Amino acid sequence: MSNIVVVVNEKNVDVSVLKELHKILGGSLTKIRTEISKGLPIIEMEIFDSQYEEKASLLRRLIFLISCTGLKVRVYELPEGDSFETSSVRNESLISIETLENILGSSDDEMNRQLDM
């Protein structure tokens, strides 16, 4: 199990991108803007739980937005139980968007395999 963390690596994000982030993430637009300006995660979640499909869908929508807008982000796959603020392996846990897509694809394949049994 792992925690996926996404941090926007830009201080000044275009308003249209902020609005799209708000549509994907929900919550307060002010909170999203504050997280971005402080370099805090906009997403920090354990994806392999009973809500996998919902969380994977959210991550895929975010990946699509990133690819369409060129938004600069850092993505981490932290060990279970670690948080972004307290992780001692944060730098070693940096992954690419492509790796995140592969994690989601592999997880979908495994879920489908188990459902076909």
Side-chain angles (χ1 to χ4, degrees):
M1 303 292 180
S2 59
N3 291 321
I4 300 298
V5 178
V6 179
V7 178
V8 175
N9 204 25
E10 300 180 32
K11 296 297 181 199
N12 297 315
V13 176
D14 187 82
V15 173
S16 63
V17 176
L18 282 172
K19 288 179 182 178
E20 291 302 315
L21 282 170
H22 179 257
K23 286 179 190 176
I24 294 168
L25 302 173
S28 159
L29 189 58
T30 302
K31 181 178 183 239
I32 294 169
R33 182 180 284 166
T34 300
E35 289 167 340
I36 291 170
S37 69
K38 292 184 176 185
L40 298 173
I42 58 169
I43 289 181
E44 184 167 3
M45 68 172 74
E46 167 60 56
I47 60 169
F48 300 112
D49 61 14
S50 62
Q51 296 177 329
Y52 168 76
E53 290 179 5
E54 178 183 318
K55 292 176 179 182
S57 175
L58 183 147
L59 288 170
R60 285 189 173 98
R61 292 192 319 266
L62 182 60
I63 289 167
F64 181 75
L65 177 66
I66 291 165
S67 67
C68 288
T69 62
L71 185 66
K72 294 180 181 109
V73 297
R74 292 185 320 266
V75 181
Y76 301 88
E77 181 185 18
L78 298 176
E80 183 178 13
D82 271 14
S83 73
F84 181 76
E85 290 185 8
T86 62
S87 179
S88 61
V89 295
R90 183 171 39 186
N91 291 336
E92 295 86 4
S93 301
L94 192 62
I95 62 172
S96 68
I97 288 291
E98 293 79 16
T99 300
L100 178 57
E101 289 175 314
N102 290 338
I103 290 168
L104 295 173
S106 295
S107 298
D108 289 346
D109 292 346
E110 179 61 20
M111 182 178 288
N112 289 334
R113 186 189 68 76
Q114 290 180 10
L115 290 173
D116 288 341
M117 293 180 127

